[in-house]
Amino acid sequence: MSIFSIYGGQPLRGSIRPQGSKNEAFQVICATLLTSAPVTIHNIPAILDIQELLSLLQVLGVAIEKLDKNSYRFQAANLHTGPGYIRELKEHASKIRGSILILGPLLARLGKAQILQPGGDRIGRRRLDTHFRGISKLGASFKYDAQLGAYLVVAKQLKGSYILLDEASVTGTANLIMAASLAQGITTIYNAACEPHVQQLCKMLVQMGANIEGIGSNLLTIHGVEELQGTTHRILPDMLEVGSFISLAAMTRAELTIQDVHAKQLEPILERFKQLGIQLDITDDDIHIHPQACYEIEKDINSSMLTLADAAWPGLPADLLSIMLVTAIQAKGSVLVHQKMYESRLFFVDKLLEMGAQLVLCDPHRVNVIGLNQAYPLRGIRMTSPDIRAGIALLIAALSAEGKSIIEHILQIDRGYEKIEERLKLLGADIERIA
């Protein structure tokens, strides 16, 4: 098993460019299943989860041509699915949460789909109800086949309907948008997710010939069309990686420029980092972060403790809370981090306590962080990456700590971050990957 060996406390300086958005890549790659025409997608991140998704699509019969390191051409002219493919599908689908996104496109194109229980991070209960309830409203029926270990979903013809989502699920919204694009009639989705990557999916589908109104809002109206055409699409920078690099700069007091971030898309995230006291100099689409001897957490208007809680966009993404929690460790002041969505995501904080952080795990969903105000550094320890975002948070903590840290199970980090140690070395980090 590969590990990272890190000697923290090194001065970091330079420029870094975020990879393409992982979450957007999952959606737009699965959208290529909606047409038999070729679709070219640029800025696809070279990460483990995406490689699993590409292998999954090849099992379904998609022809995939690699144009360069981050660009691919897809053609789903000969889709096939059946019981004989379950074993091959399971090999890839069980490793990634995004595998659920083949549901809507396969139903729209083939009238049937076999969906295995998706994999991904073990961070608590991750419901599929929103997907299946929404698809049922479009006329599909489903049952679970215990022998195959798969959900069998069929629909002779998807028909537009009014759908009120029970939660603003990003992947649930994406699945329904893709299915409704080829359904008969008009579909209205209320309480839809409106994250930037959902907007990007909608824009790509419109380029392919879909008719979607309300893009960027929580009320989408989709007029079904008979077929979609090919297109070329470029994925946005990964906003979670941008947030990770802001945290890294603050914790290590680095002189860092994050290039080409599409800053207008990031306002809800950047404002939250500013509440932690981090000064961000934004020029065009670059973010410049200068070393700060102190960054002070804002208090609420009535002088009560700041709370950082995840919420549907334009709220704070749940995937950023682990990263912001670590950022607060060296701040001046206190903050309550409230992870509402997943009940197992904050348990990595025991390693931060061992490193010298001052925090209290109040319950599975809340952590009170008492900032150290740079009074003394964290200390290096041996730890294990439990999931992608906790993994990068622990890596940031290790880079800021005194002494040597070892992070095991780094494949979890590789699932979401492209060649992260090579990019960090260019900034001056002392980090090695050891097999």
Side-chain angles (χ1 to χ4, degrees):
M1 180 183 295
S2 296
I3 65 172
F4 280 148
S5 173
I6 303 151
Y7 285 90
Q10 305 301 315
L12 303 184
R13 183 183 184 89
S15 299
I16 195 165
R17 189 181 302 273
Q19 68 189 29
S21 167
K22 172 192 171 183
N23 290 333
E24 181 185 337
F26 267 103
Q27 295 182 18
V28 298
I29 289 173
C30 288
T32 66
L33 296 169
L34 289 166
T35 178
S36 60
V39 177
T40 300
I41 303 177
H42 299 292
N43 204 29
I44 295 175
I47 55 178
L48 288 184
D49 275 12
I50 293 298
Q51 294 306 312
E52 291 291 348
L53 179 63
L54 297 181
S55 298
L56 175 61
L57 262 63
Q58 287 176 319
V59 170
L60 295 172
V62 180
I64 302 176
E65 179 185 358
K66 188 173 184 178
L67 305 177
D68 60 39
K69 175 173 166 287
N70 300 106
S71 299
Y72 291 82
R73 181 178 293 115
F74 302 84
Q75 189 159 14
N78 299 297
L79 286 178
H80 46 66
T81 181
Y85 298 100
I86 285 293
R87 182 175 297 177
E88 290 183 85
L89 287 172
K90 192 170 186 177
E91 179 183 349
H92 305 291
S94 62
K95 297 177 183 178
I96 48 175
R97 177 69 179 175
S99 62
I100 189 65
L101 288 164
I102 66 174
L103 172 60
L106 288 182
L107 269 181
R109 280 285 301 283
L110 303 179
K112 61 181 179 179
Q114 295 173 339
I115 304 298
L116 293 118
Q117 186 71 29
D121 291 327
R122 304 304 179 190
I123 52 179
R125 190 170 70 105
R126 308 184 77 176
R127 303 168 68 243
L128 297 178
D129 301 53
T130 305
H131 299 262
F132 288 117
R133 287 177 178 171
I135 289 293
S136 297
K137 290 284 185 72
L138 296 178
S141 61
F142 67 92
K143 63 178 180 179
Y144 182 73
D145 188 316
Q147 186 174 357
L148 290 175
Y151 294 94
L152 306 180
V153 192
V154 295
K156 290 183 179 180
Q157 174 62 61
L158 295 176
K159 295 185 178 180
S161 177
Y162 172 81
I163 303 172
L164 173 61
L165 298 187
D166 60 347
E167 61 174 346
S169 164
V170 171
T171 52
T173 299
N175 247 333
L176 292 173
I177 291 169
M178 291 187 282
S181 293
L182 292 179
Q184 282 185 354
I186 300 174
T187 299
T188 301
I189 306 174
Y190 193 28
N191 195 29
C194 57
E195 275 76 355
H197 37 287
V198 176
Q199 297 178 43
Q200 284 287 99
L201 170 66
C202 291
K203 291 173 183 177
M204 174 175 152
L205 291 174
V206 168
Q207 290 176 348
M208 296 168 67
N211 186 343
I212 304 174
E213 300 171 3
I215 297 173
S217 75
N218 70 344
L219 179 62
L220 296 174
T221 302
I222 304 164
H223 301 259
V225 297
E226 290 187 5
E227 64 178 3
L228 296 175
Q229 307 301 320
T231 191
T232 297
H233 178 79
R234 184 173 183 82
I235 292 171
L236 287 175
D238 195 312
M239 62 183 181
L240 302 175
E241 223 189 33
V242 173
S244 301
F245 295 146
I246 293 173
S247 173
L248 173 68
M251 285 288 286
T252 63
R253 288 188 266 192
E255 181 81 35
L256 186 63
T257 298
I258 311 171
Q259 299 175 318
D260 192 23
V261 301
H262 287 236
K264 289 184 179 179
Q265 297 277 3
L266 302 179
E267 184 178 359
I269 293 172
L270 301 182
E271 287 302 313
R272 286 307 205 179
F273 277 108
K274 289 176 183 178
Q275 285 184 295
L276 292 181
I278 300 169
Q279 297 171 11
L280 305 174
D281 181 8
I282 302 172
T283 305
D284 296 326
D285 272 335
D286 294 345
I287 299 175
H288 308 278
I289 306 166
H290 305 286
Q292 291 180 238
C294 169
Y295 52 100
E296 185 171 358
I297 299 171
E298 289 184 5
K299 292 184 178 180
D300 287 342
I301 292 174
N302 62 359
S303 297
S304 61
M305 185 190 303
L306 177 69
T307 297
L308 294 177
D310 55 321
W313 192 264
L316 184 62
D319 282 350
L320 266 180
L321 279 184
S322 300
I323 295 160
M324 300 200 78
L325 186 156
V326 164
T327 311
I329 288 174
Q330 288 293 359
K332 180 180 180 181
S334 299
V335 63
L336 180 67
V337 176
H338 189 176
Q339 168 60 261
K340 299 176 183 176
M341 189 172 294
Y342 303 114
E343 62 270 14
S344 303
R345 198 162 209 173
L346 296 178
F347 291 153
F348 77 101
V349 300
D350 62 333
K351 296 302 179 185
L352 299 176
L353 282 167
E354 191 177 342
M355 296 178 81
Q358 293 188 93
L359 51 84
V360 178
L361 181 63
C362 307
D363 56 46
H365 292 275
R366 296 179 300 163
V367 174
N368 182 16
V369 183
I370 301 96
L372 299 173
N373 192 24
Q374 308 286 4
Y376 56 88
L378 300 179
R379 53 183 175 268
I381 63 167
R382 191 178 192 99
M383 45 196 159
T384 299
S385 171
D387 62 70
I388 298 173
R389 306 307 167 189
I392 200 68
L394 292 173
L395 177 54
I396 292 167
L399 287 165
S400 76
E402 277 190 349
K404 181 180 180 180
S405 293
I406 295 291
I407 302 181
E408 300 175 342
H409 204 195
I410 60 173
L411 288 181
Q412 287 283 15
I413 301 174
D414 292 336
R415 288 178 47 221
Y417 291 83
E418 181 179 321
K419 296 182 178 179
I420 188 64
E421 80 279 11
E422 295 180 17
R423 298 157 73 198
L424 292 174
K425 282 182 181 180
L426 295 175
L427 301 176
D430 188 345
I431 178 172
E432 295 291 338
R433 180 185 294 262
I434 301 173

